[in-house]
Amino acid sequence: MGRVISMLILLVLAGCGSTFDLEEPERVEIRGFDGFGTAGGEVLGTLSGTDAEEAADILDGANEQSGAVDMAEGDLHLVVGEEPERHFHLWLPEEGGGSVMEARDTHTLYSLSSGSTEDLRELLREADIAMEVRGE
């Protein structure tokens, strides 16, 4: 019985990890979407400090989706951290949950909850990037 409980605890702890393992970046650069697998387009703004950490936490909370990926162009491109930078394509619909994809792995899509999507949209609004986000 003790062995079963230990296995359950290990499974729960294993499931508590973050999706992308982003560790408290000092900055998140927001760029225009410039195609899949690219480093993004024009720099639209930057999140720093606790805003950058909150954006990274939102991305880390995304859930991997199963099935084939066939997406329209993204809304934004995020560059997270410095050396090494991590690049993400981001979709933020006006309503409902958004999606994120790591630029180096365009075959895997992750979903964001409606609440997380709205939190991320709010961070962008506060950084005066709202007009660049689809639906604004």
Side-chain angles (χ1 to χ4, degrees):
M1 181 68 163
R3 194 165 144 181
V4 171
I5 292 173
S6 295
M7 291 298 286
L8 287 173
I9 290 172
L10 285 175
L11 286 173
V12 169
L13 290 176
C16 292
S18 60
T19 300
F20 299 110
D21 292 324
L22 301 173
E23 296 182 16
E24 299 181 1
E26 292 183 22
R27 69 184 193 102
V28 174
E29 190 174 83
I30 314 300
R31 297 182 182 179
F33 186 85
D34 194 33
F36 289 97
T38 69
E42 175 187 357
V43 176
L44 304 173
T46 302
L47 302 175
S48 58
T50 57
D51 289 343
E53 291 174 16
E54 187 175 342
D57 287 344
I58 290 169
L59 294 179
D60 270 337
N63 296 306
E64 184 175 346
Q65 299 300 297
S66 60
V69 175
D70 185 17
M71 298 292 289
E73 284 194 358
D75 293 315
L76 296 170
H77 182 91
L78 305 181
V79 180
V80 179
E82 299 175 23
E83 302 304 323
E85 295 177 336
R86 303 276 298 274
H87 294 259
F88 297 90
H89 303 315
L90 184 65
W91 291 262
L92 294 173
E94 204 169 328
E95 294 182 14
S99 299
V100 63
M101 170 188 292
E102 193 157 11
R104 68 181 180 186
D105 179 12
T106 59
H107 298 289
T108 307
L109 184 68
Y110 300 84
S111 66
L112 298 168
S113 70
S114 295
S116 292
T117 300
E118 186 52 40
D119 290 345
L120 195 48
R121 288 175 69 83
E122 182 62 27
L123 282 173
L124 296 174
R125 275 192 287 274
E126 290 173 1
D128 294 326
I129 304 172
M131 297 308 293
E132 301 298 335
V133 179
R134 181 178 48 158
E136 295 271 323

